[in-house]
């Protein structure tokens, strides 16, 4: 089925927005005012956009340490995200959590956390609550290839399959866990999406740099989940351009080949899509440039908003440990 | 009023709360058809159905994690972990998420969750089936630690724990499950969390205990003008009750079956030294388990504080 032009434009603008926001944040990071570890998602934008464009407003999201794309694609507030990175009271976690712990109930974003795989069973629990309460929403959880090596992955898929829970597991396979490639972590013959099948969870693999493919696969998975067919796992193959954590490229460290990075960049999810839409006259070069500049301006405003926001006062320290 | 043991009292609390509040559900390994290894959930499956009383896979961390998600989206799960030694795989979820969701979201998400687990020695089960590592949970902010000392307060405390908006670790002494019976009211009643109770008033020495050690402390207090405090809730700690008593008696003996080093007695001792030092007439004594793994049956008798050991500590405090 061909994706309509309105949809394609939305995909493009959303991916471009995440890309430019991340690039701009990399630039601002050098000022050393954003004092928190940041895991940028440059190169991986098609997955959150493809998935989130298939969701409804009541669907819930859980994310991981590389959370910006998930939060933004879900409709999170850029100003509150940037303020969070700057540790300000106006941040979406009130300046308490930073980049790795974005959380925002207003968009049903139950949060990112820094412990790999930990959010998977929580998302399953949310799905259980939804099912018991006869709510139609689907619980979506994003995690990486590394998370599938944790025991919780198995515990969670097993539980979800057993009770046919409305969970959409999205595995962003970017081939690396910090510095360790898949081949030192999993047997070469392993396919993550097939592991899911063996646990009783329907699954498929998709080119995670092809936003339309991700969106089609997600929409189809979500239809099944909403019809009560139980959970689904989508393995999206993608690649991160920058270091695991921080604003730099770390290709000189040698744990991955320069050629590999170049190869992936040729299939860049944003640039390749932009070229395609220009070629097919959906947008013009000028449109793309203007869109980019608009986003740069939007980030500038968000950064100004963050910098002019107050830090949390000392009396906030002991708030929200327990109910008051 | 009915004359119930602690298993029956806990069962009654669960039943009352499940009848009152459709959001309360019970999950855990074997909690369904057979009512759990100690039978605390017996009959609940029959009354409330499989959606609300659920046997889970053998996956403690997954159970705890799923319970966090359920609690964040409107349910009030009561999870059972079969023995305290089996809770360790779930500690990651309890510490990293249950305890922090409120803080992380600035109160926009909460985690009204109870995790019940049998703890302590007394039924001749070896290590990992007789753990008493309550202090570990007391160290983690954002969760509450509750330890009933008998059937009556087990029911009232469990009802309060289920109604509490924060996650509660509810520790049930295995030695108490069937060894004592008390008059337990039918229907619902709450015993507030965070409040200790004076079991016996006295003026010369304060004995502080909880859970399975309370009765030992009471037994040892015979013949002394001793005040006996049952903590009931370890965190948040009822400092007022302790200081008031210590200021009156000037002597303190703390009893717990957990190992001595970094046990909850250490926190109590330090707090008393910090806030009531000038009222003390003797050093603070701790009568505890030993700094080793819970041994098999015969050695268990040496491990767990006896009334004799407590009595000797009281005498030392008195003659200091």
């Amino acid at each position: 089925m061909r994706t309509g032009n309105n949809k394609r434009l939305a995909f493009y603008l959303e991916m471009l927005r995440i890309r430019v926001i991340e690039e701009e944040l990399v630039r601002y990071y050098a000022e050393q005012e954003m004092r928190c570890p940041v895991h940028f998602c440059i190169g991986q934008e098609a997955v959150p956009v493809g998935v989130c464009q298939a969701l409804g407003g009541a669907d819930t999201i859980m994310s991981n340490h590389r959370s910006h794309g998930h939060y933004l694609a879900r409709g999170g507030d850029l100003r509150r995200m940037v303020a969070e990175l700057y540790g300000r009271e106006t941040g979406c976690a009130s300046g308490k959590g930073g980049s790795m712990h974005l959380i925002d109930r207003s968009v049903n974003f139950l949060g990112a956390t820094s412990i790999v795989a930990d959010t998977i069973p929580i998302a399953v629990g949310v799905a259980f609550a939804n099912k018991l309460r006869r709510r139609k929403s689907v619980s979506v959880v994003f995690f990486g290839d590394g998370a599938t090596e944790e025991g919780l992955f198995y515990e969670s898929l097993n539980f979800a399959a057993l009770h046919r829970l409305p969970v959409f597991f999205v595995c962003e396979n970017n081939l690396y866990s910090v510095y360790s490639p898949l081949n030192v972590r999993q047997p070469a013959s392993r396919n993550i999406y097939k592991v899911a099948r063996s646990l009783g969870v329907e699954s498929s693999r998709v080119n995670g740099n092809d936003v339309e493919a991700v969106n089609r696969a997600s929409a189809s998975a979500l239809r099944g989940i909403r019809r009560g067919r139980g959970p689904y796992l989508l393995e999206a193959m993608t690649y991160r351009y920058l270091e695991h954590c921080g604003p730099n490229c770390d290709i000189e460290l040698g744990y991955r080949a320069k050629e590999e990075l170049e190869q992936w960049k040729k299939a860049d999810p944003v640039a390749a899509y932009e070229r395609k839409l220009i070629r097919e006259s959906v947008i013009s070069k000028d449109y793309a440039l203007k869109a980019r500049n608009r986003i740069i301006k939007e980030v500038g405003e968000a950064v100004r908003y963050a910098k002019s926001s107050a830090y949390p006062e000392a009396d906030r320290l002991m708030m929200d440990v327990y109910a008051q | 009023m009915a004359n119930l043991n602690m298993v029956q009292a806990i069962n009654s609390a669960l039943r009352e709360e499940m009848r009152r509040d459709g959001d309360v559900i019970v999950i855990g390994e074997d909690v369904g058809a057979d009512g759990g290894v100690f039978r605390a959930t017996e009959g609940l499956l029959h009354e409330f159905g499989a959606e609300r009383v659920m046997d889970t896979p053998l996956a403690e961390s997954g159970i705890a994690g799923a319970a966090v998600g359920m609690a964040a989206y409107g349910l009030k799960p009561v999870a059972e972990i079969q023995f305290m030694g089996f809770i360790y795989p779930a500690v990651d979820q309890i510490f990293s998420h249950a305890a922090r969701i409120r803080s992380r979201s600035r109160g926009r998400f909460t985690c009204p969750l109870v995790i019940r687990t049998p703890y302590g020695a007394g039924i001749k089960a070896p290590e990992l089936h007789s753990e008493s590592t309550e202090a570990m949970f007391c160290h983690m902010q954002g969760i509450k630690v509750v330890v009933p000392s008998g059937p009556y307060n087990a029911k009232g405390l469990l009802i309060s724990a289920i109604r509490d908006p924060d996650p509660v670790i509810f520790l049930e002494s295995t030695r108490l499950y069937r060894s004592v019976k008390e008059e337990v009211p039918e229907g619902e009643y709450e015993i507030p969390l965070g409040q200790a109770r004076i079991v016996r008033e006295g003026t010369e020495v304060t004995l502080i205990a909880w859970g399975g050690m309370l009765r030992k402390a009471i037994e040892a207090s015979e013949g002394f003008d001793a005040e006996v405090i049952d903590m009931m809730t370890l965190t948040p700690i009822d400092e007022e009750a302790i200081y008031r008593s210590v200021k009156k008696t000037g002597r303190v003996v703390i009893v717990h079956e957990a190992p001595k080093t970094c046990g909850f007695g250490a926190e109590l001792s330090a707090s008393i030294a910090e806030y009531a030092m000038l009222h003390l007439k003797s050093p603070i004594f701790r009568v505890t388990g030993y700094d080793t793994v819970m041994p098999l049956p015969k050695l268990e008798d040496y491990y767990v504080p006896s009334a004799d050991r407590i009595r000797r500590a009281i005498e030392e405090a008195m003659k200091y």
Side-chain angles (χ1 to χ4, degrees):
Chain A
M1 199 176 66
R2 197 174 164 278
T3 308
N5 280 346
N6 284 346
K7 242 183 171 179
R8 296 166 91 193
L9 199 58
F11 294 164
Y12 165 68
L13 287 175
E14 195 58 41
M15 284 197 299
L16 181 70
R17 184 164 180 265
I18 295 171
R19 169 66 56 90
V20 175
I21 288 168
E22 291 288 71
E23 285 175 348
E24 285 298 289
L25 290 176
V26 162
R27 209 165 57 73
Y28 284 106
Y29 201 82
E31 296 176 347
Q32 301 222 335
E33 284 186 53
M34 217 185 295
R35 302 310 301 251
C36 81
V38 178
H39 302 75
F40 292 100
C41 68
I42 296 176
Q44 303 187 188
E45 296 88 344
V47 187
V49 172
V51 171
C52 289
Q53 289 278 334
L55 298 179
D59 297 329
T60 60
I61 298 253
M62 291 219 75
S63 169
N64 59 1
H65 51 286
R66 204 173 303 287
S67 61
H68 300 179
H70 306 144
Y71 180 67
L72 292 168
R74 181 64 185 133
D77 184 327
L78 174 65
R79 295 201 309 170
R80 297 183 68 210
M81 182 184 106
V82 175
E84 189 57 40
L85 268 50
Y86 278 85
R88 307 300 164 123
E89 180 72 34
T90 51
C92 62
S94 306
K96 244 182 166 179
S99 166
M100 279 185 282
H101 299 99
L102 302 180
I103 189 163
D104 190 344
R105 186 155 202 154
S106 68
V107 286
N108 272 322
F109 192 83
L110 178 52
T113 81
S114 42
I115 308 297
V116 169
D118 257 20
T119 47
I120 309 177
I122 300 176
V124 167
V126 172
F128 185 89
N130 287 339
K131 189 178 180 192
L132 201 69
R133 286 281 155 269
R134 314 281 184 261
R135 290 188 290 247
K136 282 288 165 210
S137 40
V138 172
S139 172
V140 184
V141 55
F142 291 97
F143 50 88
D145 44 299
T148 69
E149 289 147 31
E150 295 276 2
L152 271 174
F153 173 74
Y154 299 88
E155 294 189 18
S156 304
L157 265 68
N158 179 51
F159 190 83
L162 179 70
H163 292 282
R164 300 170 76 87
L165 297 180
V167 198
F168 187 26
F169 300 102
V170 182
C171 176
E172 297 173 307
N173 186 346
N174 69 8
L175 310 176
Y176 290 87
S177 171
V178 190
Y179 304 130
S180 299
L182 263 176
N183 67 15
V184 302
R185 298 183 288 118
Q186 297 185 19
S189 58
R190 162 102 39 98
N191 289 299
I192 289 169
Y193 74 104
K194 286 185 183 166
V195 173
R197 273 185 208 166
S198 70
L199 291 165
V201 174
E202 275 192 78
S203 67
S204 60
R205 176 184 274 174
V206 70
N207 173 1
N209 280 12
D210 179 345
V211 67
E212 291 182 16
V214 173
N215 185 256
R216 268 195 305 276
S218 302
S220 149
L222 288 159
R223 265 195 304 278
I225 295 169
R226 289 191 212 283
R227 281 189 195 133
R229 288 187 59 171
Y232 194 96
L233 181 140
L234 182 67
E235 180 184 11
M237 305 306 292
T238 186
Y239 199 76
R240 88 173 128 81
Y241 293 173
L242 301 184
E243 57 194 336
H244 161 69
C245 178
N248 305 306
C249 182
D250 61 354
I251 204 74
E252 75 287 352
L253 289 179
Y255 68 91
R256 50 184 182 168
K258 197 157 187 268
E259 298 70 36
E260 184 183 273
L261 176 63
E262 294 309 321
Q263 203 59 40
W264 277 95
K265 280 188 170 173
K266 277 184 197 155
D268 183 276
V270 188
Y273 202 57
E274 186 176 279
R275 284 196 300 272
K276 183 176 165 185
L277 294 195
I278 291 173
R279 204 166 54 235
E280 296 179 13
S281 302
V282 180
I283 58 168
S284 65
K285 273 187 182 169
D286 185 52
Y287 180 94
L289 190 68
K290 278 186 179 147
R292 178 177 286 272
N293 286 334
R294 206 166 52 236
I295 301 163
I296 291 173
K297 205 170 143 219
E298 193 193 352
V299 182
E301 279 161 12
V303 169
R304 272 194 298 284
Y305 171 77
K307 287 180 176 176
S308 66
S309 295
Y311 285 110
E313 296 286 338
D315 66 358
R316 297 277 195 260
L317 191 63
M318 293 309 294
M319 277 175 71
D320 301 312
V321 179
Y322 296 99
Q324 303 293 325
Chain B
M1 285 284 192
N3 199 31
L4 302 183
N5 66 29
M6 201 162 90
V7 171
Q8 294 165 323
I10 287 163
N11 186 275
S12 164
L14 291 169
R15 204 178 286 273
E16 293 290 344
E17 284 306 278
M18 292 186 82
R19 280 177 187 162
R20 195 185 63 85
D21 184 349
D23 290 333
V24 178
I25 62 165
V26 165
I27 61 173
E29 293 156 8
D30 309 303
V31 296
D34 283 324
V37 289
F38 288 99
R39 304 289 180 265
T41 55
E42 198 159 51
L44 298 181
L45 175 67
H46 180 71
E47 180 169 348
F48 300 103
E51 266 195 343
R52 292 183 65 197
V53 181
M54 183 178 50
D55 284 322
T56 63
L58 198 71
E60 290 79 7
S61 191
I63 294 170
V68 171
M70 294 173 190
Y73 272 85
L75 299 182
K76 291 173 188 158
V78 181
E80 176 178 304
I81 300 288
Q82 250 165 20
F83 287 93
M84 195 173 192
F86 303 1
I87 207 171
Y88 302 142
V91 165
D92 168 34
Q93 286 292 330
I94 297 168
F95 281 20
S96 307
H97 305 296
R100 295 172 197 225
I101 281 226
R102 174 183 294 281
S103 165
R104 191 175 286 152
S105 68
R106 279 294 167 88
R108 289 174 197 108
F109 286 105
T110 57
C111 191
L113 156 70
V114 177
I115 298 182
R116 299 176 35 247
T117 190
Y119 91 100
I123 55 163
K124 303 291 183 189
E127 59 151 322
L128 295 170
H129 296 67
S130 306
E131 303 287 289
S132 186
T133 41
E134 64 270 22
M136 196 168 88
F137 294 92
C138 294
H139 191 62
M140 180 48 62
Q141 294 73 35
I143 49 181
K144 298 180 178 180
V145 180
V146 176
V147 197
S149 59
Y152 172 79
N153 59 42
K155 179 171 174 182
L157 288 166
L158 183 53
I159 288 176
S160 296
I162 294 170
R163 295 177 186 181
D164 196 273
D166 287 308
V168 176
I169 304 292
F170 195 85
L171 301 176
E172 301 163 1
S173 166
T174 51
R175 76 171 65 238
L176 294 178
Y177 266 149
R178 293 177 187 279
S179 61
V180 249
K181 284 192 167 186
E182 283 174 355
E183 290 300 312
V184 175
E186 280 155 37
E188 50 169 300
Y189 63 96
E190 287 187 64
I191 295 178
L193 306 188
Q195 288 183 20
R197 76 187 169 110
I198 308 292
V199 180
R200 188 191 138 162
E201 293 205 28
T203 60
E204 291 199 323
V205 58
T206 300
L207 292 184
I208 305 175
W210 53 89
M213 285 298 101
L214 182 75
R215 280 176 165 73
K216 290 268 174 76
I218 294 171
E219 188 190 338
S221 71
E222 294 302 324
F224 297 97
D225 186 4
E227 182 142 299
V228 181
I229 297 181
D230 177 5
M231 289 301 294
M232 297 199 297
T233 300
L234 301 185
T235 48
I237 180 172
D238 186 355
E239 292 164 331
E240 273 312 301
I242 294 165
Y243 301 153
R244 212 179 307 123
S245 179
V246 172
K247 284 174 183 173
K248 181 167 70 171
T249 64
R251 299 179 185 89
V252 186
V253 175
I254 300 163
V255 187
H256 61 65
E257 59 185 294
K260 188 174 199 174
T261 303
C262 293
F264 193 67
E267 176 61 31
L268 289 172
S269 307
S271 300
I272 292 166
E274 214 169 344
Y275 296 107
M277 180 77 158
L278 296 178
H279 297 271
L280 291 177
K281 297 171 189 155
S282 86
I284 300 161
F285 289 89
R286 285 178 287 167
V287 184
T288 69
Y290 294 96
D291 286 352
T292 180
V293 170
M294 176 63 71
L296 266 165
K298 187 56 200 161
L299 285 170
E300 186 182 295
D301 297 338
Y302 300 109
Y303 185 95
V304 177
S306 62
D308 261 350
R309 276 173 64 197
I310 302 168
R311 224 173 276 125
R312 283 200 294 279
I314 299 173
E315 281 162 4
E316 266 196 77
M318 295 303 295
K319 72 176 184 224
Y320 184 81

